[in-house]
Structures are given as structure tokens and as C-alpha cells.
């Protein structure tokens, strides 16, 4: 990769990648949806505040800014935390109201869900919300109306698609990099980073891929995207992933528990390395540079 400026993205030989945190608590993840009822959430031990404090320190020490895709449910309960995150220069974006997956909602309920979340996020921070990430990357071939609703509500970008096959999510036919899902609309979709190994794609922008596999595998995947594909990577993680002391409900399925709890203790150190080894920024910055790239491919 050459140094200099290409589409405003490459500076000193390092491309600007999107750093994102999906702000939800340990009991709100898809893996526990069948064992923890939404109506019981209020009585559970919330740990999101202390975990976000640690993330803010980690980002500050590395001198990076990122995007916090936050549930409306969380923002309503922790307005001071939201103001601290926004005040530190990070972007506040939407992760929907209470982590209901888009394909479970239908068009009307989805429109109501994201409008409700956005109102709270904007009210508590006083800043405009222009980005959205679907819970569990749940915009896929089943939800052709989802991007239309986002465009109607004036969102600038979405980062809600995983162009892979996975047991919980995925839209295999979607492009790997930023595209315009709606003809005639400015909205862009910036999928989570994938890696191609032996002609197979896997989600490589965070989650279990980052936490369960050696750090070098993620470093390789991001380098491939930046250098071979000449595109920004989109990385995500969750506050509960840096929290080895979170409650552990024994009733969850074994596979979910293995995936959820492995390597929580080494996560902070891995993240600290990642944020220093690459160049990172807010998703709205990445969206702006990707939107300026011409031509962006059209719908999947
Ligand atoms: Zn989530």
C-alpha cells in the first residue's frame, strides 16, 4: 500500500479503520435470549457502566476515538455515562431499543424501535445520531425493508450486515465492503469485516473471532483488508467482553456459555494492542470516506 492520501483514507501508510463498541449488558446478548426474559432485566446486576469506564480509559491511553452503538434501554438508564462517552469525543450511534433482532420485528415495529432508541440517545447527549447497527447483525436477505426504513428516518450509514454464513447471523450474498443498499438514497451500509480463507468468508471484525483466536489472526485479517483489498476494516466488541467477573447463568446452553466466557480475562490486553497497531476512528468518519469513494457498488 502506498503512503499519501487516497480518497482521504490513507495517511502515512495507514488506513483509517472503524472502531466500534456495541453497548449492551451481559444479559442482553443474543446467546442468552432464550434463558433471560426481557422483563427481568431491571432486576439484574448491571455492569455496563464500569465496563464502559474501562473502555474509555483504554481508548484514551491509546489516543483513539470510536463509535458506541448503544441500546436505547441502556441510554435511558445511564444518561450520565452517555454524556461522558460523547464528551470524550466518541460518536454515539444506535443499536436499537432492546436488542430485538430486525428480522424478528417486521417493518412497522422496526421503524418504531429505532425511532424510540434514537430519541433517547439524542435527548441524553444533545447530539444527532446518524449511524445504526442492527442487534446481532440482523439485517439480511429476510429484511429488504430495513435499509429503506433507515433511509426514511434520515440515517447516514448502517453497519448491520455480516456478509457471511454463521449459525446465528449472516447475509452471504451481501458485498464485503461499503455499498448503497437503496437506489437513489445516500444511505450506505458498511458491513463488518470479513476474511477470506480458502475461498470461504468468515466474520473477522471482532466477536468470537477476535476473542477466541490468537491476536495474530485478527492482525492478519485487518492487514489483508487494508493492504490487499485497500479498504477500511470495521471492528466491534462489547463491554461485557472485558469483564471476567460478570454473573454467569448456569442455565444457558453449553455452546453459548463457552462462546461467551472464553478469554474474557485476556480481552483488555488484546484490545489494547489492537488499538495501537492500527489506525482507528469513528464510524461516521469511515462512512464519510467510504461514501466519497466512487463508484460504490449498489444493492446486494
Ligand atoms: Zn448487540
Amino acid at each position: 500500500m502506498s503512503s499519501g492520501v487516497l480518497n482521504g483514507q490513507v495517511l502515512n501508510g495507514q488506513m483509517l479503520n472503524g472502531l466500534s463498541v456495541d453497548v449492551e449488558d451481559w444479559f442482553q446478548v443474543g446467546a442468552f435470549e432464550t434463558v433471560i426474559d426481557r422483563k427481568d432485566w431491571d432486576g439484574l446486576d448491571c455492569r455496563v457502566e464500569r465496563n464502559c469506564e474501562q473502555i474509555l480509559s483504554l481508548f484514551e491511553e491509546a489516543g483513539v476515538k470510536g463509535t458506541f452503538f448503544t441500546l436505547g434501554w441502556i441510554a435511558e438508564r445511564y444518561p450520565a455515562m452517555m454524556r461522558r462517552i460523547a464528551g470524550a469525543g466518541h460518536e454515539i450511534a444506535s443499536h436499537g431499543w432492546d436488542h430485538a433482532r430486525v428480522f424478528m420485528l417486521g417493518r412497522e415495529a422496526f421503524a418504531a424501535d429505532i425511532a424510540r432508541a434514537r430519541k433517547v440517545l439524542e435527548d441524553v447527549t444533545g447530539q444527532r445520531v446518524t449511524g445504526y447497527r442492527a442487534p446481532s447483525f440482523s439485517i439480511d436477505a429476510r429484511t429488504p425493508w430495513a435499509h429503506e426504513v433507515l433511509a426514511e428516518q434520515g440515517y447516514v450509514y448502517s453497519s448491520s450486515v455480516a456478509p457471511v454464513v454463521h449459525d446465528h447471523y449472516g447475509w452471504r450474498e451481501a458485498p464485503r465492503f461499503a455499498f448503497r443498499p437503496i437506489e437513489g438514497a445516500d444511505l450506505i451500509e458498511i458491513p463488518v469485516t470479513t476474511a477470506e480463507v480458502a475461498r470461504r468468508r468468515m466474520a473477522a471484525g471482532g466477536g468470537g473471532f477476535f476473542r477466541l483466536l490468537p491476536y495474530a489472526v485478527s492482525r492478519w485479517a485487518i492487514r489483508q483488508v487494508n493492504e490487499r483489498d485497500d479498504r477500511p476494516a470495521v471492528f466491534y466488541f462489547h463491554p461485557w467482553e472485558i469483564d471476567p467477573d460478570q454473573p454467569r447463568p448456569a442455565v444457558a446452553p453449553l455452546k453459548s456459555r463457552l462462546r461467551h466466557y472464553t478469554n474474557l480475562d485476556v480481552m483488555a490486553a488484546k484490545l489494547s494492542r489492537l488499538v495501537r497497531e492500527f489506525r482507528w476512528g469513528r464510524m461516521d468518519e469511515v462512512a464519510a470516506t467510504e461514501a466519497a469513494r466512487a463508484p460504490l457498488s449498489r444493492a446486494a
Side-chain angles (χ1 to χ4, degrees):
M1 187 177 61
S2 60
S3 59
V5 176
L6 174 68
N7 287 335
Q9 285 181 305
V10 180
L11 197 61
N12 302 323
Q14 272 211 300
M15 187 167 299
L16 183 72
N17 297 296
L19 179 61
S20 62
V21 186
D22 291 358
V23 182
E24 61 207 36
D25 220 323
W26 60 272
F27 48 84
Q28 295 171 317
V29 301
F32 295 153
E33 199 170 33
T34 54
V35 291
I36 301 173
D37 202 294
R38 278 184 172 74
K39 67 174 165 39
D40 297 328
W41 283 2
D42 268 318
L44 296 170
D45 175 19
C46 281
R47 303 182 60 86
V48 71
E49 255 187 313
R50 76 194 86 178
N51 294 335
C52 279
E53 280 299 325
Q54 195 185 337
I55 293 166
L56 286 177
S57 301
L58 195 149
F59 284 5
E60 193 184 337
E61 283 161 20
V64 297
K65 306 292 182 208
T67 294
F68 288 66
F69 292 102
T70 306
L71 294 179
W73 191 95
I74 292 282
E76 189 177 60
R77 283 160 181 79
Y78 302 100
M81 174 184 87
M82 300 312 298
R83 285 190 281 271
R84 268 185 53 69
I85 297 170
H90 304 291
E91 179 191 8
I92 302 295
S94 173
H95 196 36
W97 183 259
D98 65 356
H99 220 264
R101 284 165 293 171
V102 178
F103 54 74
M104 301 292 283
L105 287 172
R107 183 173 189 138
E108 302 299 312
F110 173 63
D113 178 284
I114 62 173
R116 183 184 182 197
R118 186 189 212 168
K119 176 150 191 354
V120 170
L121 292 167
E122 292 186 342
D123 285 353
V124 300
T125 62
Q127 293 181 8
R128 196 163 150 64
V129 166
T130 62
Y132 172 75
R133 169 165 293 148
S136 308
F137 299 103
S138 55
I139 289 183
D140 60 25
R142 288 168 287 183
T143 60
W145 36 264
H147 283 122
E148 287 172 18
V149 172
L150 288 164
E152 281 165 16
Q153 294 195 14
Y155 282 85
V156 172
Y157 75 92
S158 162
S159 180
S160 304
V161 166
V164 293
V165 184
H166 183 277
D167 57 350
H168 291 166
Y169 56 77
W171 181 7
R172 179 171 34 184
E173 300 80 16
R176 289 182 65 211
F177 299 108
F179 63 99
R180 294 193 195 280
I182 315 266
E183 195 71 45
D186 289 336
L187 177 78
I188 63 168
E189 169 61 44
I190 314 172
V192 65
T193 286
T194 52
E196 286 184 318
V197 180
R199 292 195 187 168
R200 287 193 50 149
R201 273 191 208 172
M202 61 180 93
F209 183 90
F210 182 76
R211 186 158 42 84
L212 306 180
L213 298 178
Y215 173 78
V217 183
S218 283
R219 183 176 55 194
W220 168 83
I222 295 169
R223 277 192 185 149
Q224 286 282 99
V225 166
N226 285 173
E227 294 173 14
R228 188 193 65 185
D229 300 314
D230 192 29
R231 299 303 283 262
V234 172
F235 182 84
Y236 75 100
F237 69 100
H238 307 90
W240 57 263
E241 289 187 274
I242 58 163
D243 183 8
D245 301 324
Q246 66 191 279
R248 303 187 177 207
V251 288
L254 180 63
K255 188 177 175 187
S256 299
R257 277 186 281 142
L258 284 175
R259 206 180 262 177
H260 190 93
Y261 298 124
T262 303
N263 284 353
L264 296 177
D265 52 340
V266 300
M267 183 68 178
K270 267 175 143 174
L271 277 173
S272 175
R273 195 169 165 194
L274 181 82
V275 294
R276 285 172 173 80
E277 277 195 53
F278 293 92
R279 187 166 163 241
W280 298 101
R282 296 160 46 135
M283 289 295 296
D284 56 355
E285 296 178 276
V286 172
T289 51
E290 285 290 87
R293 180 187 286 268
L296 267 192
S297 56
R298 288 280 157 190

